[in-house]
Amino acid sequence: MQIKKFSDLNTPQKTALITAGIAQLGLFTAAWADLNMRRPEAVSGSRGAWRAGLFVNFAGPLAYFLRGRKGSDWTEDDVPDQTGKVVVVTGANSGLGLETSRVLALRGATVIMACRNAQKAEKAAAGIRALKPQGDVILMSLDLGDLKSVEAFAAAFREKYDRLDVLVNNAGIMVPPLGRTAQGFETQFGVNHLGHFALTAQLMPLLEKTPGARVVTVSSMAHRFGKMDFGDLNWKSRKYAPMPAYGQSKLSNLLFTYELNRRLSAAGSDVTAVAAHPGWASTGLQGEGQGSQLANQLFAQSQAMGALPSLYAATSPDAVGGAYYGPSGLLELGGNPERVPSNERSHDEEDAKRLWEVSEELTGVDFTA
C-alpha cells in the first residue's frame, strides 16, 4: 500500500495524526522530566535504560509511568506518637501550617501556632480543639515581617518553655506586589527567609537542649528558577519581578537548611535541619483570582496532602538531616512524601556561606550553630 503524504490526508485524518503526535510528545516530555528529577533509588531499574526506553513510541513513556516510578504510601496515619513534644509552627492559621498543626496536636504534641493575625489564628485553633486532640494548642503572636516581633516571640517562648522538639518554618508569602518589611527588606525575602533565619537563631539554644530536635524549613519547587543576586537581594536597584523574587526566597530556604545542617553536624550537635516542599497544593498562597482557583481545582492536591512532606520531615524516624522531602507523584506536583532532589544552585556551598553572613548582617543576629 502506497504511503500517503500528509498533504493527501483529509481533515479528520490530519487532526487525528496531529493529536496523536502531540499526545506522544506530551507523554515523552512528562516522563523525561519526571525521570530526570527523581533520585536513583526512586526509580525501578536503571535511569539510563529508562531514558532509552522512553523513545519507544507510546509504549516507553506508558511503561515508565506504570513500572518505572517507585511510589510512597506514607500518610498522616504514620506520624509517630508526639506526646511530650513541643512544636512551633509558623503561619499556622491556614493552609499547610494549619494541617501540620492539626496532625501534630492529634498525635499528642503541644503545638504553638505562631501567627500574625490573631483573629484568624483563634478560629483555626478552635477548629483543631474541636477535634479533641491529645496535645495542647497554644497561640502566640509572631510577625516574621518585623524582627522586633521575632525577638519578642523568641523571648516569650524561652521564658515559658524549656524544650523545643521541632521548629517548622512554614509561613510564607508568594508573588505579592513590591512591599517592604518593618526593617525595609523586600517582603518575600524578608518573611520567607530572613524572618525564619532570625527566629531559628534565637530558638537554637532550646533546640540544642532537646534530644533529637529538628528544624524543618518549607521551600518550594520555585527554588528551581531562583537565583541569588547578592548585589541586590532586596530589589532596590533592579526592577521588581514577583516570581523571580519568590524563587530567590525559596532558594534561600534551601541554602539556609543545607548550611545549617552542615554547621550543626560539624559541631557534633544532635539537632538536624531538614527541608520540605508541598508540591502543588491548594492553599491561599496562589491568590483568589479565577484563574488561580480554576488551576487549583484542576491540578492541585489538598492542603492535607501538601502538608505530608513537612510532617514526614518533622516526625519520621527515617528523615535525615540535610535532606529535602516532597511529593512522590509526577513532577513532584502531588503524592505521598519521599526524599527528592533539589537543583545544583541550592547546593552551592559558597553561596550558602555568603547568604549566612549576609543574613546575620541584615538581621543583626549572631547565629552560631
Side-chain angles (χ1 to χ4, degrees), residues 199-320:
L199 177 66
T200 306
Q202 293 173 75
L203 293 178
M204 187 54 66
L206 279 184
L207 289 160
E208 291 276 14
K209 287 174 57 178
T210 309
R214 302 184 190 185
V215 177
V216 178
T217 300
V218 180
S219 184
S220 165
M221 292 186 293
H223 86 272
R224 295 183 178 278
F225 57 76
K227 294 182 180 180
M228 303 306 300
D229 185 339
F230 286 101
D232 188 24
L233 289 171
N234 285 297
W235 298 82
K236 292 185 176 180
S237 60
R238 50 183 167 153
K239 184 178 179 181
Y240 177 69
M243 190 57 80
Y246 180 66
Q248 177 184 256
S249 74
K250 294 289 102 180
L251 176 58
S252 297
N253 289 152
L254 286 176
L255 288 169
F256 166 59
T257 296
Y258 297 154
E259 179 66 10
L260 175 59
N261 198 69
R262 280 191 291 268
R263 292 180 179 228
L264 290 167
S265 180
S269 174
D270 190 32
V271 182
T272 55
V274 193
H277 83 82
W280 188 345
S282 181
T283 69
L285 275 181
Q286 295 91 354
E288 301 298 329
Q290 290 186 348
S292 298
Q293 294 305 306
L294 177 60
N296 276 347
Q297 292 176 13
L298 292 174
F299 304 112
Q301 61 179 348
S302 68
Q303 292 181 167
M305 285 294 295
L308 288 182
S310 296
L311 287 164
Y312 186 94
T315 69
S316 174
D318 297 324
V320 296

Side-chain angles (χ1 to χ4, degrees), residues 70-88:
K70 290 183 180 178
S72 164
D73 58 2
W74 196 92
T75 72
E76 65 180 63
D77 292 336
D78 295 303
V79 172
D81 179 52
Q82 300 295 298
T83 301
K85 294 189 176 183
V86 177
V87 182
V88 170

Side-chain angles (χ1 to χ4, degrees), residues 27-367:
L27 281 172
F28 173 84
T29 301
W32 184 270
D34 183 80
L35 177 59
N36 287 334
M37 288 175 66
R38 298 178 73 79
R39 294 172 58 82
E41 61 267 28
V43 177
S44 297
S46 163
R47 287 203 296 184
W50 279 112
R51 287 192 182 102
L54 294 183
F55 288 92
V56 182
N57 208 343
F58 283 98
L62 289 175
Y64 169 71
F65 289 134
L66 292 173
R67 298 292 184 183
R69 303 168 66 257
K70 290 183 180 178
S72 164
D73 58 2
W74 196 92
T75 72
E76 65 180 63
D77 292 336
D78 295 303
V79 172
D81 179 52
Q82 300 295 298
T83 301
K85 294 189 176 183
V86 177
V87 182
V88 170
V89 181
T90 68
N93 60 270
S94 64
L96 306 177
L98 176 58
E99 295 296 339
T100 301
S101 300
R102 173 185 62 81
V103 174
L104 293 175
L106 288 173
R107 293 295 180 276
T110 295
V111 179
I112 287 79
M113 300 175 69
C115 306
R116 180 176 60 86
N117 188 311
Q119 185 176 1
K120 289 183 178 179
E122 287 284 359
K123 183 177 179 180
I128 296 177
R129 290 174 184 139
L131 300 175
K132 302 186 185 309
Q134 298 178 44
D136 292 331
V137 177
I138 297 167
L139 300 180
M140 290 184 68
S141 177
L142 172 65
D143 181 357
L144 288 160
D146 186 347
L147 293 178
K148 292 183 179 178
S149 175
V150 173
E151 183 179 10
F153 173 90
F157 184 87
R158 291 194 305 266
E159 184 176 341
K160 187 174 182 180
Y161 297 95
D162 60 1
R163 66 180 296 138
L164 176 56
D165 294 86
V166 185
L167 168 61
V168 183
N169 291 324
N170 163 82
I173 53 176
M174 179 180 177
V175 296
L178 177 61
R180 299 288 171 190
T181 67
Q183 283 72 37
F185 310 131
E186 185 274 317
T187 312
Q188 296 184 92
F189 184 65
V191 171
N192 297 354
H193 169 63
L194 291 175
H196 282 128
F197 178 90
L199 177 66
T200 306
Q202 293 173 75
L203 293 178
M204 187 54 66
L206 279 184
L207 289 160
E208 291 276 14
K209 287 174 57 178
T210 309
R214 302 184 190 185
V215 177
V216 178
T217 300
V218 180
S219 184
S220 165
M221 292 186 293
H223 86 272
R224 295 183 178 278
F225 57 76
K227 294 182 180 180
M228 303 306 300
D229 185 339
F230 286 101
D232 188 24
L233 289 171
N234 285 297
W235 298 82
K236 292 185 176 180
S237 60
R238 50 183 167 153
K239 184 178 179 181
Y240 177 69
M243 190 57 80
Y246 180 66
Q248 177 184 256
S249 74
K250 294 289 102 180
L251 176 58
S252 297
N253 289 152
L254 286 176
L255 288 169
F256 166 59
T257 296
Y258 297 154
E259 179 66 10
L260 175 59
N261 198 69
R262 280 191 291 268
R263 292 180 179 228
L264 290 167
S265 180
S269 174
D270 190 32
V271 182
T272 55
V274 193
H277 83 82
W280 188 345
S282 181
T283 69
L285 275 181
Q286 295 91 354
E288 301 298 329
Q290 290 186 348
S292 298
Q293 294 305 306
L294 177 60
N296 276 347
Q297 292 176 13
L298 292 174
F299 304 112
Q301 61 179 348
S302 68
Q303 292 181 167
M305 285 294 295
L308 288 182
S310 296
L311 287 164
Y312 186 94
T315 69
S316 174
D318 297 324
V320 296
Y324 185 38
Y325 296 95
S328 60
L330 179 64
L331 301 176
E332 298 175 19
L333 293 173
N336 303 78
E338 67 178 10
R339 188 169 182 178
V340 296
S342 60
N343 69 1
E344 186 176 348
R345 285 192 294 272
S346 70
H347 293 284
D348 188 320
E349 294 190 20
E350 290 303 313
D351 274 1
K353 292 175 184 176
R354 188 174 180 185
L355 177 64
W356 189 283
E357 294 169 356
V358 170
S359 300
E360 284 188 315
E361 179 182 346
L362 291 175
T363 62
V365 174
D366 180 16
F367 195 158

